[in-house]
Amino acid sequence: MESWPPGGSGPAEAGPRLRGLRGADLAASASLLSGAGAEAGCSAPAVAAVLPAGGSGERMGVPTPKQFCPILERPLISYTLQALERVSWIKDIVVAVTGENMEAMKCIIQRYQHKGISLVESGVTRHRSIFNGLKALVEDQPNRRLSKPEVVIIHDAVRPFVEEDVLLKVVTAAKEHGAAGAIRPLVSTVISPSADGCLDHSLERARHRASEMPQAFLFDVIYEAYQQCSDYDLEFGTECLHLALKYCHIKAKLIEGSPDLWKVTYKRDLYAAESIIKERISQQICVVMDTKEDEEHVGHRLEEMLKNELNHVKVTSGRDLQHIILEECYNFVCVNVMTSDFEETQKLLNMLEESNLSILYPVVVISVQFLDYESVPFGQKMENLMRIREFAKEVKKTNILLYGLLVYYPQIFFSLL
């Protein structure tokens, strides 16, 4: 088993952190699981996660297993790991991958700076892979870092959009009931065919639900279930909640999940996932300007125009670049007013490269320069164009997409503002 040292919570995903929390109860549960409750004398359960990632992606019809298929040039499984890493109360993440993909998984962990990930070899079926992940949490290993948790989350490597609120709900319910899992309403009616290919019977759609991930269990419950599991269930079974019911007589609590819990299964799902990711990282634009906020300049009119035109996007501004980057904005409009040499843009690019923000998602920077066309020689205009092109070529290597916009205006127009 391979493991990487824990490094706290990983980089957070763009978009909303907690969605759908209802009242103070879940907020209190989050505080308890993160350790704040433990400091107050409460017992915070140790939580780990197991991700089976040994599938071949046969239904997708591509040679690369779907968990390693790229979305915006980054493997799908990396997004799922990031979604779990950002949850501070998940202490360990165990990923079960095939032996032939072990090195590829190590490279993903290193390249995208994932923390606290342990790797085990997967089994030939989903249940066998999960069982291997569970065993890694209890069996003695050389240089052992993992410890047995009280609650374990089981999640799919190809469900990258899981939010902290649903993880919190299933873990809280599992601690009370022994097992819990996310569900969604059925979209289509389920029918059962007869041996000769004719309709035998159908299920009443309103009375049934689709079982989704994540699921959570008291560790002793699900581990005992797998230890007692028949070879037939290990070979052909797919539902972990059923194992807890069948072998441990635990009736799982069912938690209504959000539409984002869908599983990337077919090739078209990759395009849908890419669209969702692009939408999430496009919800905020940060305007950076090298003038004071109370100074009148045409650049401030640009900011106001963006706020008026992009009413579905959060437009923020500021001169504290470090603070802006910490807020994980991935879209910047950098306005160069005081100088003609893109000094503010260069400063922003340097800080973005140092922050490694673009490791996870592409960062878009639009460099805007306002120049008085009467006082700036034509040669300097062309020089400015060439400089921004050279900047763009260089930073593209680090996943930063730089665009230039030169705005020439008469000085008298500025005087009238």
Side-chain angles (χ1 to χ4, degrees), residues 45-338:
V47 181
V50 172
L51 268 68
S56 62
E58 182 178 341
R59 285 177 290 180
M60 185 165 284
V62 294
T64 303
K66 57 189 174 185
Q67 60 270 27
F68 298 114
C69 285
I71 299 178
L72 297 177
E73 301 184 11
R74 177 179 160 201
L76 174 60
I77 192 172
S78 176
Y79 293 95
T80 308
L81 290 177
Q82 182 192 357
L84 296 176
E85 279 181 310
R86 72 167 185 259
V87 181
S88 61
W89 41 266
I90 297 178
K91 304 305 180 185
D92 296 303
I93 302 172
V94 180
V95 182
V97 295
T98 61
E100 62 182 331
N101 289 321
M102 191 69 71
E103 288 304 316
M105 191 67 233
K106 292 178 184 178
C107 290
I108 290 170
I109 292 171
Q110 183 175 11
R111 178 175 179 179
Y112 298 102
Q113 301 181 6
H114 295 298
K115 307 295 182 183
I117 310 297
S118 298
L119 301 181
V120 297
E121 189 162 346
S122 62
V124 295
T125 66
R126 172 182 171 80
H127 273 328
R128 294 186 190 277
S129 294
I130 294 171
F131 194 15
N132 286 353
L134 296 173
K135 287 188 285 188
L137 290 166
V138 292
E139 294 182 351
D140 292 332
Q141 301 285 344
N143 303 317
R144 178 175 174 77
R145 182 185 65 80
L146 296 173
S147 59
K148 175 184 169 184
E150 181 180 351
V151 177
V152 62
I153 296 168
I154 297 176
H155 190 57
D156 286 328
V158 291
R159 295 181 192 260
F161 302 118
V162 60
E163 295 285 345
E164 183 175 354
D165 64 335
V166 73
L167 291 166
L168 179 59
K169 289 174 185 177
V170 296
V171 166
T172 303
K175 194 170 187 301
E176 179 180 353
H177 299 275
I183 57 170
R184 291 286 299 156
L186 288 174
V187 176
S188 301
T189 300
V190 178
I191 62 173
S192 178
S194 61
D196 59 358
C198 297
L199 176 65
D200 184 72
H201 65 277
S202 66
L203 299 181
E204 186 181 341
R205 188 169 61 183
R207 294 186 57 199
H208 296 82
R209 293 291 183 270
S211 178
E212 306 285 355
M213 288 287 168
Q215 296 174 352
F217 306 83
L218 290 177
F219 184 86
D220 290 340
V221 168
I222 193 62
Y223 190 58
E224 180 183 347
Y226 271 100
Q227 286 179 311
Q228 297 183 31
C229 194
S230 68
D231 288 338
Y232 181 87
D233 281 336
L234 286 174
E235 196 68 27
F236 301 105
T238 58
E239 180 54 72
C240 302
L241 298 178
H242 176 70
L243 297 185
L245 176 63
K246 181 177 180 178
Y247 293 103
C248 298
H249 310 291
I250 296 294
K251 290 186 177 181
K253 180 68 174 177
L254 303 180
I255 305 296
E256 194 72 28
S258 70
D260 291 337
L261 295 181
W262 59 277
K263 180 180 180 181
V264 175
T265 304
Y266 301 104
K267 193 172 183 179
R268 63 178 179 269
D269 295 333
L270 291 174
Y271 301 111
E274 179 176 324
S275 177
I276 291 174
I277 292 169
K278 285 181 177 179
E279 181 183 4
R280 288 189 174 190
I281 63 177
S282 301
Q283 294 303 303
Q284 182 176 2
I285 297 175
C286 296
V287 179
V288 180
M289 203 174 309
D290 62 355
T291 62
K292 296 179 180 179
E293 293 184 7
D294 57 353
E295 287 184 2
E296 284 293 335
H297 192 273
V298 68
H300 293 294
R301 293 297 179 90
L302 173 63
E303 179 184 342
E304 291 302 316
M305 183 196 72
L306 288 172
K307 290 180 178 179
N308 291 333
E309 294 294 326
L310 304 176
N311 51 23
H312 64 290
V313 176
K314 180 182 178 183
V315 179
T316 60
S317 62
R319 302 190 72 251
D320 186 349
L321 296 184
Q322 191 64 48
H323 177 73
I324 291 173
I325 290 172
L326 287 175
E327 289 186 343
E328 295 171 5
C329 179
Y330 292 89
N331 307 282
F332 295 86
V333 175
C334 188
V335 181
N336 299 265
V337 174
M338 306 302 294

Side-chain angles (χ1 to χ4, degrees), residues 373-385:
Y373 68 76
E374 294 180 348
S375 61
V376 178
F378 178 78
Q380 184 176 338
K381 298 176 185 177
M382 296 306 298
E383 182 181 343
N384 287 337
L385 286 172

